[in-house]
Amino acid sequence: MHINKFITPEIIFGKGAIDQVGDSCLRLGAKKVLIVSDPGVIEAGWLEKAIEGCKQVGLAYSTYDEVTTNPKDFEVEKGCHVYKENECDAVIGIGGGSVMDVAKAIAIVVTNGGRISDYEGVDQIKVPLPPLVMVATTAGSGSEVSQFSVIVDCERKKKMTIISKSLVPDIAIVDPFTLVTKDRYLTASTGMDVLTHAIESFVSIAATPLTDVQAKNSIKLVCEFLRPSVASKTNEEAKAAMAMASLQAGLAFSNAILGAAHALSHAIGGRFELSHGEVNAILLPHVMEFNYIAAPQKFLKIAELMGVDVRGSSGYEVGKQAIDKVRALSKDVGAPQRLSEVGLKEDSILEMSQAALDDACMITNPRDISIEDVKELFRKAF
Amino acid sequence: MAVIEDKQNMIELLTGVKSSKQSYYMELKKTIRQLEKKNMKLEIINDVMKSFNIHMTMDEMLGNVLEKLKHIITFDRLSLSLFENNELILSNVYPQDLMPVRSLPKKNSLYWQSINRKQPIYYSFSTKEQQLSIVEEDMLRSLNIESVLLIPLISKEAVIGVISFESKRQISYETQDLSFLQQLADQLAVCIDNAKLYNAVLQGKKEWEETFRAVLDMIIFVDMEDTIIRFNDAVPRFFQMDGKELNGQKISRILFQDQDGEEWKSYKMKQPAYCQMSVKNKRICEIYTYPVSNEKDEMYGVIFYMKDVTEKVHTEAQLIHSGKLAAIGEMAAGVAHELNSPLTAILGNSQLLMRQFEKGTSSHQLLQDIKNCGDRCKNIIRNLLTFSRQDQFVLQDSSVNYAVEQVLSLVGYQIERENIRIVSRLKDDLPLVEGSVQQIEQVVINFLLNAKDALTEVDRQEKKIEIETNVKVVDDEEWVYLSVTDNGVGIKEKDVTAIFNPFFTTKESIKGNGLGLSVSLGIAKMHGGKIEVTSVEGKGSCFTLLLPKGEMYG
């Protein structure tokens, strides 16, 4: 590909950036916003913070917080109802990936009509969305800058990947300070999710120099700061670095797309209530092993970024050390290692495999993959 | 190779090289376009409503609407067919290419189908689903029409016709457009229906108005405040006024020049009423009044139907009067003849007896008196006979003074018996007038008897009647006049105009019949003259007969 494109929203980054939420909406012409969050965010006090921001600028608001891990289509529908009921004209998503994906999905349906399943796939959105402002409170999903929204279709028991330029938010607010409320386990799994985003988009066949810059920096930051971030809630330097890593990984995968790890993890998330971060943390090393032969040079670069001494080496062996580095990091921060650990049964592999193969993320995976390969990957991860 | 290409295409899709975020601006433009279209639709519907009036032909109207319609709906030709007497008549086509004004057959007709089903039909010749031949095909084919959209016109739940949008190619109508066209058709249907009704009403109204205007008698519609609202052509003609002046005037002012309204019975009783009265231009009218009520039975006006019966009344009066006169005349002649025989005996015998007595003796004196009285009786009888003689009316030179003397000899005595002094100032060399002495005498008698009646009702020291004849010049013309002035009761101001009306009288029925003055006026007019009255209530009246001077003295 000689031509490439790089899309990004306006990004407001830094400690206290969350206070900009009201102003940001006003600038976009909002009169009444729907603020989407979830119980965890409310508990942490970030919703209150956002409301305060709206009140300060005299912006009317309504709230919606019925969002769960792996958000469902009916949650989107309920949110749309709240939006219309209160005659809102803009959407704020404040929270992790689930909240932001639901906020985006609500924005789609309220302007485009129909149901969220009508927009599954690539470029199905025909009408512009209302102004979208995303406030990321987990250093993980990257949804605040991405063109993705992933919603579970309860009827078909699968995660629908919705990809469209229209899903790129108008303004992304990343405030590292919001990360201080996350517990150790959540910090670890979302951190591993960032790493998955960074590595998958780096080795993606759609990667471009622009995305590579973001991905490489993200990998470096995760390697350096995930351990201290998990270790201490109040290590502000580590939190800021992880927030940046998440943001850059988001920019990378939004433009270079992902790979097999996400395809498999979407298949699992459509059926089981497992957090996206946990599943990615488990799958990442296995997928790296599978993909390794397709992009040895990139793996060599990853190894280098993760602290392996690669001077004078171009060998596969050195590149392979990247996988060990990932495993070591995962163990250090206490992320789960096997699917069986998180309560998955092996008999569900079959039905998940086909769904994984059909996932849009599979297209940019560097190595061709068959249904057998997918099954084998699942088996290894158990 | 295909695999690689497919993969490349997918990646391009995913990374969005060929796609962008949906633009608000584009969306705005789209919305604006839709709004414009909506506005245009509203405008069209509005236009249909507005332009449907009687001053515009259906063709003009359709032309108006279609110029606008073209911006939002694609079609090449439009035709309008309307139901008339259970036939479907192609009544308007736009643009006006071929115009077979004929009724469309029912069999296999697309138009009829749309009407019977009461729903729109879209038909395209090239994609005929079932091979049915429709009767409209030849006609439309000859115009290169490829597809037809038919929408029935429904007004008040009845189909009144069908409108057809025809196009030279196949058109796929959007749902919005279809519903708009349906609305347009509904609106059109209502308007056409209304226009029909309106025209019918208008036609009816016009016919009535024409009828109203054609009536020779006066018809005036008056509201509850006595104000004239509408009238027919006879009214200004009769009052010799401009129609504009009449509008908004009070009817009483127009009729009597009174400020305060007459108490019309119809207002009070809310039922038709009739009266005969004289109006301000000295005409006598029969006036019929009819209350006008609305649906709630509330009266909101009165219709005055007025007939000018002046001539009729005068003629009647003349007839009655001459009838009476003829009767009086016959009677008088009879009585005169009856009295003549005894008078002859009285006169003869008294003369015979007078020869037997010396002059100067008391008997002679007595007989002389008898003879004188007999002579006087004879005179009276002769006058009576002359007066009542029903001569043919011939114009001849007559002396007004002679007429006065004749009358005085006839009625002077009975007037003086009432203690009334008669003063005559007759001009010596009064010019003669052209006319009938008998008739002039009649006028004088009337004047004198009226003066006497006016004096009997009054209590005065000195009751007198002055009779004067002379010549005066009015408007450069010389008139011979005769005036009778009394110092009796006078005439009430409001009665002054009425006294010349036939049968108008202030006297008890035994004494008068209200014909005298009206007949006098008739006589005066016949002689080319007139009668003038001046009167002050309680002081007396003066009646003057003016007659044009005879030619020979001119």
Side-chain angles (χ1 to χ4, degrees):
Chain A
M1 260 191 4
H2 308 292
I3 304 173
N4 57 57
K5 186 187 244 187
F6 188 80
I7 45 160
T8 162
E10 286 180 25
I11 299 166
I12 302 174
F13 186 95
K15 191 181 170 188
I18 193 168
D19 298 336
Q20 299 295 314
V21 69
D23 256 335
S24 300
C25 290
L26 277 193
R27 276 202 306 280
L28 296 170
K31 293 268 184 289
K32 185 169 190 183
V33 290
L34 176 70
I35 309 175
V36 183
S37 65
D38 66 17
V41 173
I42 296 172
E43 202 182 331
W46 301 123
L47 173 64
E48 217 170 302
K49 196 90 177 123
I51 287 174
E52 214 173 284
C54 291
K55 279 183 175 164
Q56 265 168 6
V57 295
L59 183 65
Y61 63 90
S62 296
T63 59
Y64 177 66
D65 59 19
E66 294 175 45
V67 179
T68 55
T69 325
N70 300 317
K72 324 284 182 289
D73 46 11
F74 64 84
E75 293 165 10
V76 173
E77 263 171 52
K78 277 189 185 170
C80 289
H81 185 71
V82 176
Y83 180 98
K84 285 178 176 159
E85 188 95 317
N86 294 289
E87 296 177 343
C88 298
D89 58 6
V91 180
I92 297 176
I94 177 161
S98 308
V99 168
M100 291 194 271
D101 283 1
V102 168
K104 287 178 179 183
I106 290 171
I108 296 170
V109 178
V110 294
T111 51
N112 286 260
R115 313 172 47 133
I116 191 62
S117 55
D118 302 343
Y119 305 98
E120 186 183 5
V122 184
D123 262 339
Q124 300 303 309
I125 294 171
K126 301 289 175 253
V127 179
L129 274 41
L132 277 173
V133 174
M134 295 295 162
V135 184
T137 61
T138 62
S141 73
S143 185
E144 70 272 17
V145 295
S146 83
Q147 55 161 335
F148 285 71
S149 171
V150 181
I151 303 288
V152 175
D153 182 330
C154 293
E155 210 175 312
R156 289 181 294 157
K157 285 211 176 81
K158 69 171 285 212
K159 274 204 168 180
M160 298 179 288
T161 307
I162 301 160
I163 305 172
S164 164
K165 303 292 160 295
S166 293
L167 286 180
V168 177
D170 296 289
I171 296 178
I173 295 174
V174 181
D175 186 343
F177 189 66
T178 56
L179 306 181
V180 301
T181 56
K182 293 201 307 180
D183 63 37
R184 186 193 312 173
Y185 189 71
L186 184 60
T187 307
S189 60
T190 52
M192 287 310 289
D193 190 20
V194 172
L195 188 62
T196 314
H197 289 159
I199 291 172
E200 285 219 288
S201 59
F202 185 59
V203 302
S204 155
I205 54 171
T208 71
L210 271 172
T211 62
D212 285 350
V213 171
Q214 309 289 340
K216 285 191 287 194
N217 201 45
S218 183
I219 293 167
K220 210 170 157 194
L221 285 172
V222 174
C223 271
E224 199 172 336
F225 290 102
L226 181 55
R227 287 181 183 90
S229 179
V230 171
S232 158
K233 276 191 181 181
T234 52
N235 181 341
E236 283 190 28
E237 192 198 0
K239 298 293 174 202
M242 282 311 295
M244 182 54 82
S246 167
L247 175 70
Q248 292 187 313
L251 287 171
F253 85 76
S254 176
N255 289 285
I257 321 299
L258 297 149
H262 269 83
L264 268 61
S265 114
H266 286 162
I268 295 170
R271 282 169 181 71
F272 305 99
E273 284 298 311
L274 295 174
S275 102
H276 177 71
E278 284 176 339
V279 177
N280 278 343
I282 297 164
L283 290 171
L284 179 61
H286 300 288
V287 173
M288 282 174 82
E289 277 174 348
F290 177 78
N291 280 341
Y292 170 68
I293 61 162
Q297 281 312 305
K298 290 237 170 175
F299 274 75
L300 190 69
K301 192 76 216 170
I302 296 168
E304 188 189 1
L305 289 167
M306 297 187 80
V308 178
D309 185 359
V310 297
R311 275 171 302 177
S313 160
S314 62
Y316 288 124
E317 294 312 311
V318 181
K320 244 186 165 168
Q321 288 175 36
I323 300 163
D324 302 333
K325 285 280 178 193
V326 170
R327 282 217 164 92
L329 175 63
S330 177
K331 284 201 176 87
D332 283 352
V333 297
Q337 300 301 305
R338 309 217 141 268
L339 290 174
S340 48
E341 258 177 74
V342 291
L344 221 58
K345 298 273 174 294
E346 207 162 338
D347 53 27
S348 52
I349 287 177
L350 197 66
E351 47 175 323
M352 292 190 296
S353 301
Q354 190 54 48
L357 200 62
D358 293 342
D359 195 280
C361 294
M362 220 40 129
I363 293 160
T364 49
N365 197 58
R367 184 174 174 184
D368 292 349
I369 193 161
S370 70
I371 187 98
E372 285 310 318
D373 298 331
V374 175
K375 286 179 188 164
E376 185 56 31
L377 275 176
F378 272 125
R379 267 195 289 275
K380 278 185 175 161
F382 264 95
Chain B
M1 286 313 280
V3 177
I4 296 174
E5 245 170 66
D6 278 354
K7 202 155 186 169
Q8 282 297 350
N9 287 343
M10 265 324 278
I11 289 170
E12 273 193 12
L13 263 180
L14 286 170
T15 55
V17 172
K18 289 200 163 86
S19 66
S20 288
K21 193 169 180 169
Q22 295 289 347
S23 142
Y24 293 121
Y25 176 69
M26 298 301 289
E27 184 63 12
L28 197 63
K29 281 215 297 197
K30 206 163 85 188
T31 314
I32 288 171
R33 252 204 315 278
Q34 281 172 341
L35 281 174
E36 278 173 346
K37 206 166 168 180
K38 245 193 188 123
N39 273 343
M40 187 103 73
K41 287 177 179 175
L42 281 173
E43 247 175 69
I44 289 171
I45 291 212
N46 203 3
D47 266 14
V48 173
M49 300 289 292
K50 266 202 316 216
S51 53
F52 247 102
N53 58 32
I54 38 163
H55 310 299
M56 219 174 195
T57 64
M58 185 75 94
D59 283 330
E60 282 176 326
M61 220 274 332
L62 283 178
N64 264 6
V65 170
L66 296 187
E67 281 310 315
K68 282 214 171 78
L69 200 56
K70 278 200 152 149
H71 295 292
I72 49 175
I73 310 277
T74 326
F75 64 91
D76 296 301
R77 184 172 177 271
L78 182 144
S79 73
L80 183 72
S81 314
L82 295 175
F83 243 158
E84 277 168 38
N85 312 326
N86 218 4
E87 288 207 321
L88 195 58
I89 310 286
L90 189 62
S91 63
N92 299 80
V93 168
Y94 181 89
Q96 290 154 326
D97 43 20
L98 96 167
M99 192 61 222
V101 183
R102 48 168 195 162
S103 72
L104 297 159
K106 286 191 188 184
K107 199 169 162 18
N108 294 338
S109 160
L110 210 57
Y111 285 45
W112 278 96
Q113 226 179 71
S114 162
I115 282 177
N116 294 335
R117 291 188 195 163
K118 283 197 178 181
Q119 54 184 215
I121 292 181
Y122 175 76
Y123 189 90
S124 155
F125 291 114
S126 48
T127 57
K128 267 192 284 192
E129 284 160 27
Q130 63 277 72
Q131 285 295 322
L132 59 98
S133 61
I134 56 163
V135 290
E136 291 88 358
E137 186 158 357
D138 293 344
M139 175 186 89
L140 296 171
R141 281 283 169 129
S142 68
L143 297 160
N144 300 319
I145 297 297
E146 193 51 58
S147 69
V148 186
L149 174 69
L150 292 167
I151 300 177
L153 297 171
I154 300 169
S155 170
K156 301 182 192 106
E157 297 184 4
V159 182
I160 64 160
V162 65
I163 189 162
S164 134
F165 296 89
E166 294 147 15
S167 183
K168 290 180 179 163
R169 51 203 178 83
Q170 286 190 51
I171 308 275
S172 61
Y173 290 99
E174 288 172 33
T175 333
Q176 297 173 338
D177 290 344
L178 273 181
S179 72
F180 160 70
L181 287 176
Q182 183 67 62
Q183 279 176 354
L184 182 70
D186 288 350
Q187 204 62 261
L188 211 58
V190 170
C191 285
I192 291 171
D193 214 21
N194 283 350
K196 264 191 195 163
L197 290 171
Y198 182 69
N199 278 322
V201 169
L202 206 74
Q203 187 62 31
K205 183 169 178 272
K206 232 172 130 162
E207 282 165 12
W208 274 113
E209 274 177 2
E210 289 302 319
T211 313
F212 182 77
R213 287 178 50 187
V215 174
L216 290 174
D217 295 329
M218 288 168 277
I219 302 175
I220 307 173
F221 177 71
V222 179
D223 71 5
M224 298 301 286
E225 269 75 58
D226 238 5
T227 311
I228 296 176
I229 303 292
R230 245 193 309 278
F231 47 85
N232 65 350
D233 295 1
V235 179
R237 224 180 10 241
F238 177 81
F239 288 105
Q240 290 175 335
M241 287 173 89
D242 200 85
K244 289 193 194 93
E245 290 176 67
L246 277 168
N247 256 332
Q249 290 263 29
K250 298 273 185 235
I251 187 142
S252 305
R253 285 202 62 177
I254 295 297
L255 293 179
F256 317 114
Q257 230 151 359
D258 280 7
Q259 291 295 353
D260 46 347
E262 177 87 12
E263 283 292 331
W264 298 102
K265 251 194 212 157
S266 288
Y267 281 114
K268 268 197 287 199
M269 316 288 289
K270 297 194 179 170
Q271 56 190 25
Y274 162 80
C275 61
Q276 182 175 312
M277 36 181 52
S278 77
V279 297
K280 71 179 180 194
N281 53 1
K282 298 210 172 75
R283 307 292 289 178
I284 300 156
C285 289
E286 282 183 342
I287 303 178
Y288 299 84
T289 51
Y290 302 90
V292 182
S293 306
N294 59 17
E295 291 87 32
K296 289 186 211 153
D297 239 5
E298 293 162 342
M299 184 165 138
Y300 69 93
V302 170
I303 287 177
F304 281 71
Y305 180 90
M306 300 183 13
K307 233 182 159 81
D308 179 1
V309 290
T310 318
E311 311 304 333
K312 190 178 114 188
V313 170
H314 280 298
T315 316
E316 267 175 19
Q318 297 264 349
L319 281 173
I320 291 171
H321 193 69
S322 53
K324 278 198 170 149
L325 283 180
I328 290 169
E330 269 173 49
M331 242 170 50
V335 170
H337 280 299
E338 288 298 322
L339 287 176
N340 256 343
S341 311
L343 258 182
T344 313
I346 289 166
L347 279 171
N349 290 347
S350 59
Q351 274 173 327
L352 282 175
L353 281 172
M354 270 166 67
R355 286 179 201 163
Q356 293 178 22
F357 292 98
E358 287 285 321
K359 272 192 187 166
T361 60
S362 61
S363 297
H364 190 280
Q365 190 55 49
L366 288 169
L367 286 168
Q368 186 64 49
D369 280 351
I370 290 171
K371 182 181 172 292
N372 283 351
C373 286
D375 280 340
R376 187 168 169 187
C377 286
K378 209 172 165 157
N379 255 332
I380 289 173
I381 285 166
R382 200 182 55 234
N383 274 338
L384 199 60
L385 279 170
T386 318
F387 174 75
S388 63
R389 201 166 41 230
Q390 298 303 305
D391 291 346
Q392 273 303 75
F393 173 74
V394 274
L395 284 176
Q396 56 195 62
D397 290 338
S398 318
S399 157
V400 176
N401 285 352
Y402 173 75
V404 174
E405 280 156 10
Q406 284 296 312
V407 169
L408 280 176
S409 72
L410 199 61
V411 297
Y413 174 70
Q414 51 165 305
I415 291 174
E416 283 172 340
R417 234 188 31 199
E418 303 272 350
N419 294 323
I420 297 168
R421 197 156 59 85
I422 300 180
V423 182
S424 317
R425 288 192 294 276
L426 305 183
K427 179 94 173 118
D428 279 345
D429 51 353
L430 191 72
L432 296 178
V433 294
E434 213 173 299
S436 141
V437 179
Q438 275 91 7
Q439 294 207 328
I440 295 170
E441 279 175 13
Q442 258 196 62
V443 177
V444 181
I445 282 183
N446 278 326
F447 283 2
L448 282 175
L449 292 181
N450 279 346
K452 183 202 80 166
D453 288 339
L455 282 161
T456 51
E457 291 170 35
V458 81
D459 192 16
R460 280 208 207 291
Q461 281 283 294
E462 188 196 28
K463 301 183 181 179
K464 65 171 180 181
I465 296 175
E466 293 175 42
I467 306 171
E468 187 180 310
T469 60
N470 209 330
V471 179
K472 67 168 162 182
V473 179
V474 183
D475 304 334
D476 294 340
E477 272 184 79
E478 272 195 286
W479 298 82
V480 171
Y481 75 87
L482 154 108
S483 70
V484 174
T485 312
D486 65 66
N487 57 353
V489 285
I491 304 162
K492 288 198 179 75
E493 203 180 330
K494 71 176 177 74
D495 290 343
V496 170
T497 46
I499 52 174
F500 292 99
N501 292 345
F503 310 109
F504 178 88
T505 179
T506 56
K507 301 164 191 170
E508 300 131 53
S509 56
I510 334 160
K511 293 183 84 177
N513 56 18
L515 289 174
L517 280 172
S518 85
V519 171
S520 302
L521 187 65
I523 291 169
K525 282 190 174 158
M526 213 147 23
H527 284 76
K530 51 192 176 183
I531 294 175
E532 287 175 350
V533 192
T534 54
S535 176
V536 180
E537 204 183 337
K539 289 268 169 67
S541 313
C542 168
F543 283 80
T544 308
L545 170 69
L546 291 143
L547 295 170
K549 209 178 70 173
E551 287 305 308
M552 56 184 299
Y553 293 91

